[in-house]
Amino acid sequence: MALACGCTGDNPENSATDVGLRHLVVECRDIIDTVAELVPDYTAHGSDGGFVALPTRTLQLGRSGSADSGHEDYRFAKFGLLVRRSRQALLEIVSAPDGAFFNYGSSAFGPADTLTAGPCDSDRGDWVVWAGGIWVNEPGCVEVVVSSEDEEIPAQLAVGAPCDTRT
């Protein structure tokens, strides 16, 4: 899967300043692929076959943040974001190693605690795919809430380290 870097810019529509969060709207023009069925190591979240699919495997940490970016101590874990083409999905980081943020789309690089993707028209495949991932300053479990319409579901991303599955 290809990697496309980008995140929020200085666009006021992408700022959730009232709660101190940065919000990213992932554009349909940035879709890299469509698929008819889920890819291996992904799980759908939501009723009726799900509205968003996230990886179940431990994500590998890759490249470090650029010099002078303010994120030099961060590492990137890439994964495709899959959203059912007819649905809109909201992802929010609710618990993570300090300062974790999403990085999807073609906007300017910057932290995003929440993102919205979809719906997107496509006559191929049930799922649309965006390239990107998450930046963390230490390996750990990133807890997110995924929501669409009247559904809100907790999910975990194992970023550089497995999530503790004990209850």
Side-chain angles (χ1 to χ4, degrees):
M1 188 174 287
L3 171 67
C5 292
C7 212
T8 63
D10 293 327
N11 182 346
E13 292 178 4
N14 288 343
S15 292
T17 55
D18 57 331
V19 292
L21 299 178
R22 221 40 210 256
H23 185 83
L24 168 64
V25 177
V26 183
E27 302 289 337
C28 294
R29 66 187 162 135
D30 294 327
I31 293 170
I32 62 162
D33 202 358
T34 59
V35 294
E37 297 180 23
L38 290 182
V39 294
D41 297 326
Y42 272 69
T43 297
H45 300 276
S47 60
D48 298 325
F51 58 87
V52 66
L54 298 171
T56 54
R57 70 186 184 286
T58 299
L59 301 170
Q60 291 184 320
L61 292 174
R63 64 186 168 95
S64 297
S66 312
D68 300 324
S69 69
H71 298 97
E72 297 85 359
D73 295 333
Y74 285 69
R75 297 202 38 217
F76 187 67
K78 70 178 181 176
F79 66 94
L81 175 63
L82 281 71
V83 176
R84 181 90 52 190
R85 69 182 173 145
S86 62
R87 301 284 297 268
Q88 182 176 65
L90 173 70
L91 283 73
E92 179 181 353
I93 297 171
V94 294
S95 178
D98 187 38
F101 61 94
F102 293 115
N103 189 206
Y104 283 91
S106 62
S107 300
F109 176 82
D113 304 292
T114 65
L115 72 80
T116 301
C120 295
D121 289 334
S122 172
D123 56 357
R124 302 173 300 138
D126 289 332
W127 297 90
V128 292
V129 183
W130 286 271
I134 192 164
W135 287 90
V136 296
N137 61 0
E138 65 182 76
C141 190
V142 175
E143 295 181 22
V144 297
V145 170
V146 296
S147 56
S148 180
E149 298 169 2
D150 61 349
E151 295 184 77
E152 187 174 283
I153 301 161
Q156 295 181 328
L157 295 169
V159 183
C163 291
D164 184 1
T165 58
R166 292 177 289 174
T167 56

